[in-house]
C-alpha cells in the first residue's frame, strides 16, 4: 500500500471518490475553491502526482485528462488500518486499545462487517446508517 495521502492529495481524492466518475482538473479546482484559494496548476500537479503514485487512472479528452479513482476510500482506509496494526509489537493489545476508542456506532459497524465476512460476502457491507439487521432489533 502506498504511503498515507497528504492533506491536499486527500482533499482531491475525497472529491474523486465522492463523485465516483471521471473528473477534470477544472471540476476539482472549482469545488476546492469553495474552501480555499488554489491555482489550476496546483490541482493539475496533484492529480498528476496521484496518477504517478497509482491512485488514479487518466484518459485523454481533447487537450485535457479525465481522472478516475483506481480503488475506493474504504480500501484505502482498510489498508491504513492494516498497516498500523501490522507494525504493532502486540497486535492483540493494539486491537483491544483500538476497540476501546470506538464509538457505539463504530462497534456496531464492526459487528456488521464481521457478519458479512463470516458469511463470505464482503461486497454486501451494510450502509453505516442501516443499523442492526431486522432479526436483531
Amino acid at each position: 500500500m502506498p504511503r498515507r495521502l497528504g492533506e491536499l492529495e486527500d482533499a482531491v481524492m475525497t472529491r474523486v471518490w465522492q463523485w465516483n466518475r471521471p473528473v477534470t482538473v477544472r471540476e476539482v479546482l472549482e469545488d476546492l475553491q469553495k474552501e480555499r484559494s488554489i491555482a489550476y496548476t496546483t490541482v493539475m500537479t496533484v492529480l498528476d502526482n496521484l496518477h504517478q503514485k497509482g491512485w488514479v487512472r487518466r484518459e485523454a479528452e481533447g487537450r485535457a485528462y479525465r481522472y478516475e479513482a483506481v480503488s475506493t476510500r474504504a480500501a484505502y482506509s482498510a489498508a491504513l488500518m492494516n498497516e498500523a496494526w501490522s507494525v504493532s509489537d502486540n497486535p492483540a493489545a493494539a486491537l483491544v486499545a483500538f476497540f476501546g476508542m470506538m464509538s457505539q456506532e463504530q462497534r456496531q459497524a464492526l459487528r456488521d462487517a464481521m457478519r458479512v465476512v463470516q458469511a463470505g460476502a464482503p461486497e454486501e457491507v451494510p450502509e453505516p446508517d442501516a443499523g442492526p439487521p431486522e432479526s436483531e432489533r
Side-chain angles (χ1 to χ4, degrees), residues 7 10 14 28 31-32 38 42 44-45 51 53 61 70 75 82-83 100 108 123 133 137:
E7 179 188 347
D10 186 68
T14 293
V28 175
D31 201 59
L32 283 170
I38 190 165
T42 302
M44 183 174 63
T45 299
H51 175 256
K53 293 176 181 181
E61 183 176 279
V70 169
N82 186 56
E83 176 68 22
Q108 182 60 52
E123 66 279 355
R137 290 185 188 165

Side-chain angles (χ1 to χ4, degrees), residues 81-95:
M81 289 187 288
N82 186 56
E83 176 68 22
W85 183 56
S86 70
V87 299
S88 173
D89 60 348
N90 187 339
L95 283 174

Side-chain angles (χ1 to χ4, degrees), residues 16-90:
V16 175
W17 281 319
Q18 285 176 342
W19 296 338
N20 196 28
R21 61 173 173 75
V23 301
T24 64
V25 172
R26 174 87 38 217
E27 290 173 307
V28 175
L29 171 72
E30 289 173 0
D31 201 59
L32 283 170
Q33 285 179 330
K34 295 175 186 174
E35 300 170 359
R36 64 176 89 191
S37 176
I38 190 165
Y40 181 93
T41 53
T42 302
V43 177
M44 183 174 63
T45 299
V46 170
L47 279 163
D48 184 59
N49 290 343
L50 289 167
H51 175 256
Q52 291 177 22
K53 293 176 181 181
W55 288 103
V56 295
R57 62 171 90 39
R58 68 184 180 193
E59 189 171 315
E61 183 176 279
R63 294 179 359 157
Y65 288 106
R66 284 202 173 267
Y67 296 86
E68 187 173 14
V70 169
S71 67
T72 64
R73 181 179 276 288
Y76 167 65
S77 297
L80 288 178
M81 289 187 288
N82 186 56
E83 176 68 22
W85 183 56
S86 70
V87 299
S88 173
D89 60 348
N90 187 339

